[in-house]
Amino acid sequence: MNLLLSLVATSACIVAALLLYIASPQQQLRAAGRWPTRHAWWPGTLLSLVALLLMWPLLAPLEAITAWLVLLMLVGSVLPFLGAWRARVRARSAA
């Protein structure tokens, strides 16, 4: 049960960071630009809070918040580099 809950919490946190990055206007991961909706950051925010609530029973409160923030920052730091790499690959294939 704890392993499944930790996998779901980690996956939710990773997807939340991805959704928050895709919602930003300067992202380069998607070729079409940011999401077409006006409030595109809501799904990422909601999913990140769900991830925190799922991590809460697994760890002590301070450890859960720290693990949640570290995972969000790690994924949020890697995604811009992946987006720049993907934009470069797209530019090469278009030329």
Side-chain angles (χ1 to χ4, degrees), residues 8-72:
V8 170
T10 304
S11 300
C13 197
I14 290 171
V15 172
L18 178 66
L19 289 174
L20 288 172
Y21 176 70
I22 289 176
S24 69
Q26 301 295 328
Q27 64 90 18
Q28 296 180 349
L29 203 56
R30 293 182 63 230
R34 63 178 280 180
W35 282 8
T37 60
R38 185 172 175 202
H39 301 290
W41 51 273
W42 274 104
T45 304
L46 184 66
L47 200 57
S48 73
L49 291 176
V50 166
L52 177 62
L53 290 176
L54 289 173
M55 284 184 187
W56 202 267
L58 294 172
L59 304 166
L62 188 60
E63 293 169 353
I65 292 171
T66 303
W68 175 69
L69 285 174
V70 165
L71 190 56
L72 278 176

